Amino acid sequence: MGKRDLSNTSRTALGGIVAALSVVTMFLTAVIPTLTYALPAVAGVFLVLMVVDVGKKWALGVYAAVSILSLLILPDKEAAVMYVFFFGHYPIVKAALEGTRLRGIVLWLVKLLVFNACVVLAYLVILYVFQLPFDELEEYGKWAAVGLLGLGNVVFVIYDVAVSRLVTLYMLKLRRHVRKLLRFK
C-alpha cells in the first residue's frame, strides 16, 4: 500500500478533499476570528495526508492551491499569510527534514531556524504588504515582538511534537480507514 499503488485519479481525489478541508478550515477564521493562528495550523495538518499517502510533490500542489485561494477569498489576511508562510508548507518541510541525516539538537535547531525565518517573513508581509497593524507592538512597546516570538518558539515545539504524534496516529489507526473510504487499492 505504498504511494505507487495509487492511481492519478485517487491522488487527485485525495488532493481535492484535503484542499477543500483546508480552505473550509481557513474560512472559519472569518467566523471565529480569535483562532487566527490555530485554524491555519489545523489546515496545514491536513497536508499530512498528502505527504504520507501521495508524496511531497502532490502535497506542494495542494499547498499552492490552498494558499492562492486563502489569499484571494479569506477576509482574515493575517491567517492567510500565516498559512502561506508557515503552516501550509511545514508538514512538507518537516517530512523532508526528518528524512535527512539530521538528528537530535541539530534537527531541532534547523526546525527552529525555519520557524523563525518564516514567522518573521510573514509578519513583514503582514505589516508592509497588507499594512495590518501590529497592535501588541503599539500597546507593549518594541520588546513585544521579541517576547511574542519567544513564546511562538515554545508553541512551535509543542505543535511539531503534536504533528509527529498525529502522523503516528494516522499511520497506525486511521490510514486504512481513509484508504478504504476513498477506495484506494
Side-chain angles (χ1 to χ4, degrees), residues 17-32 35-46 66 70 74 76 79 83:
I17 291 167
V18 169
L21 285 171
S22 296
V23 170
V24 167
T25 302
M26 291 296 295
F27 208 82
L28 287 175
T29 59
V31 180
I32 314 168
L35 298 179
T36 295
Y37 302 110
L39 290 172
V42 171
V45 169
F46 289 129
V66 174
S70 294
L74 241 66
D76 188 345
Y83 180 86

Side-chain angles (χ1 to χ4, degrees), residues 7-125:
S7 67
N8 279 339
T9 304
S10 296
R11 292 174 186 173
T12 304
L14 183 59
I17 291 167
V18 169
L21 285 171
S22 296
V23 170
V24 167
T25 302
M26 291 296 295
F27 208 82
L28 287 175
T29 59
V31 180
I32 314 168
T34 56
L35 298 179
T36 295
Y37 302 110
L39 290 172
V42 171
V45 169
F46 289 129
L47 280 173
V48 166
L49 297 170
M50 293 301 295
V51 173
V52 170
D53 278 327
V54 183
K56 293 181 207 82
K57 288 182 183 176
W58 282 76
L60 281 171
V62 172
Y63 158 71
V66 174
S67 295
I68 291 167
L69 287 170
S70 294
L71 287 170
L72 290 176
I73 66 173
L74 241 66
D76 188 345
K77 297 303 181 199
E78 186 174 8
V81 169
M82 292 309 294
Y83 180 86
V84 170
F85 281 88
F86 181 70
F87 290 114
H89 65 77
Y90 186 69
I92 303 164
V93 171
K94 177 178 174 57
L97 287 174
E98 291 177 356
T100 66
R101 295 179 188 228
L102 299 175
R103 296 287 177 256
I105 192 78
V106 175
L107 178 60
W108 276 107
L109 288 174
V110 171
K111 287 179 178 182
L112 286 165
L113 180 67
V114 167
F115 169 75
N116 284 285
C118 290
V119 168
V120 167
L121 189 57
Y123 270 97
L124 290 174
V125 168

